[in-house]
Amino acid sequence: MTSGHPDGGVRHDGAAQDGAVLDGAVQDGREARSGGRRGRRVADVVASVVLLVVGALAALTAGWGIMLLAIGFGSCDAPGNRCDEGLGGTVVTLGPVLVALVFLVAAVVCVLRLVRRRTAWPVALLGLGLVVVVFLVARLVVGGTVTIGI
């Protein structure tokens, strides 16, 4: 809406003088930014990267740990011990693959969310938690396949 200005010029109602915001941009060429959202964005990126690095280290450790569970089958030859080497071998073989798959899926989803400027740190944290769960389940299953007798 325009109105006549006392000195003969035309003035636009609602617009301020210098530095007024029109359609999201400031008149003097600077772009208006919200400081709070930018800080949260930086914190999300930092937290996501830290959690992904910790998740990578945890996945590497869990994968090696699952493979080392095969050492427990060395006692299967002792008298009185029973082992389900088929199940244990399957867990020792597929466990590290599953750990790597869980981490890779979490990392890809996290990076995609970061690119789309959506909150990503919960995905990285969930991936880290799932890596730990896969390791614990593999440990329980392999531990259950070896029965030590007297």
Side-chain angles (χ1 to χ4, degrees):
M1 173 185 247
T2 62
S3 63
H5 200 267
D7 61 356
V10 177
R11 181 179 67 85
H12 295 278
D13 288 347
Q17 295 295 334
D18 235 350
V21 177
L22 297 174
D23 296 329
V26 178
Q27 279 183 345
D28 62 359
R30 290 179 294 159
E31 191 174 311
R33 293 185 184 187
S34 62
R37 290 194 132 274
R38 187 167 188 233
R40 276 187 265 154
R41 174 78 183 134
V42 170
D44 178 46
V45 171
V46 169
S48 299
V49 168
V50 168
L51 285 170
L52 285 175
V53 168
V54 170
L57 293 173
L60 188 63
T61 303
W64 278 103
I66 292 172
M67 290 187 336
L68 288 175
L69 293 174
I71 294 173
F73 294 110
S75 66
C76 292
D77 295 334
N81 292 352
R82 292 178 308 180
C83 298
D84 185 356
E85 292 184 38
L87 177 60
T90 302
V91 171
V92 168
T93 304
L94 294 181
V97 174
L98 187 57
V99 165
L101 186 65
V102 165
F103 173 73
L104 286 176
V105 167
V108 167
V109 170
C110 189
V111 168
L112 287 176
R113 288 183 66 90
L114 284 172
V115 168
R116 293 177 182 153
R117 298 196 182 277
R118 299 185 72 194
T119 304
W121 68 266
V123 175
L125 185 62
L126 179 66
L128 176 60
L130 287 175
V131 165
V132 172
V133 166
V134 169
F135 173 75
L136 292 176
V137 168
R139 171 67 183 100
L140 288 173
V141 171
V142 171
T145 61
V146 178
T147 306
I148 298 175
I150 297 179

